[in-house]
Amino acid sequence: MSILSIPSPIYGSSHSTLSISRLPSSLMAQPLQVRRRAKGKGVVVMSLEAGIGVMATKLGMMSFFQPDGVVVPVTVVGFKEGNIVTQIKTEATDGYSAVQVGYRRVRDRKLTKPEMGHLEKVGAIPMRHLQEFRLQTVDQFDLNQRLVFDELFKEGDLVDVSGTTIGKGFQGGIKRHHFKRGPMSHGSKSHRQLGSIGAGTTPGRVYKGKKMPGRMGGTKRKIRKLKIVKIDKDLNVVMIKGALPGKPGNLLRITPAKIVGENIPKN
């Protein structure tokens, strides 16, 4: 990456220069879906997945007894009809390589006409959720191909699971940020209050990012490097060690765990 200096008429001066990071031409030629610009942070590039993944539905938690007698807390994940390839994006057509996957069959009237047209183009069933998995190569995938979990993963593999956390609503500082409360005695006038939020005249404002009461939960969260404990083909469920985001019935995205040096290059 090189630095380019160009004249910039800042504060009326014609001699000042503005340094701009110049990215490779191959990256600048990519569409906006890949090359997203964040305010004040230059160019943000979407990250590659370690491999193709699937979508699933959280069913709940239970205790799993291993053959050696060790009890492991696991989350049971089920699969509804779907996980079908609905679109394949390539460098030639879209500027990047990705596979779009659909999940959870719904009735036709639940989708808009553009959504139905997009799925009917490849002969796929109507599905509620569409997500992309950006990969290095997409040559091994076909349109309307069904992705089967036990063909992509096996017991003992590590996966990254992302989903939407349980919404808690508007919460105070103690529950949201684990603040300590004040004395609960009769003379105290500060039991669960937030307390001071800054100085006086200097700086005369509240710093951005101050931990204060607000809406808690309901955000996207990824739990990394979770172990697949059991794959039950008869019940069509998977048991993953540990807790997963959201409540039962929540949509989950399961992908191979990113391990630098193994399935993710160090550079």
Side-chain angles (χ1 to χ4, degrees), residues 53-59 76-86 100-107 111 118-119 124-133 145-149 236-237 249-254:
V54 296
M55 285 177 278
T57 303
K58 179 177 178 178
L59 300 181
V76 183
V77 176
F79 300 93
K80 297 183 179 180
E81 188 174 1
N83 282 322
I84 299 173
V85 176
T86 57
Q100 184 187 87
V101 179
Y103 178 72
R104 188 186 163 194
R105 181 168 190 164
V106 294
R107 286 176 286 183
L111 301 180
H118 175 70
L119 296 174
I125 60 176
M127 291 174 286
R128 167 65 66 191
H129 306 287
L130 296 178
Q131 291 193 11
E132 275 190 7
F133 297 87
Q145 174 185 349
R146 187 177 299 272
L147 303 176
V148 183
F149 187 87
N236 196 26
V237 298
N250 191 38
L251 176 70
L252 299 175
R253 175 187 172 107
I254 305 175

Side-chain angles (χ1 to χ4, degrees), residues 192-263:
R192 297 177 64 91
Q193 285 83 345
L194 189 64
S196 174
I197 59 174
T201 305
T202 304
R205 61 187 176 89
V206 178
Y207 287 119
K208 290 184 178 181
K210 177 69 178 175
K211 293 181 179 179
M212 299 181 72
R215 181 168 293 185
M216 179 180 177
T219 58
K220 184 179 179 180
R221 181 70 56 86
K222 176 184 284 188
I223 313 297
R224 300 191 59 227
K225 296 182 180 180
L226 297 177
K227 183 179 179 180
I228 299 176
V229 177
K230 178 72 174 178
I231 298 178
D232 195 323
K233 298 181 181 180
D234 297 332
L235 298 177
N236 196 26
V237 298
V238 176
M239 301 179 187
I240 301 177
K241 183 178 180 180
L244 302 183
K247 58 185 179 180
N250 191 38
L251 176 70
L252 299 175
R253 175 187 172 107
I254 305 175
T255 57
K258 294 182 180 181
I259 303 177
V260 178
E262 292 187 14
N263 52 23

Side-chain angles (χ1 to χ4, degrees), residues 135-151:
L135 307 171
Q136 294 182 351
T137 176
V138 294
D139 298 335
Q140 67 272 30
F141 300 101
D142 298 318
L143 290 175
N144 212 12
Q145 174 185 349
R146 187 177 299 272
L147 303 176
V148 183
F149 187 87
D150 56 351
E151 295 178 359

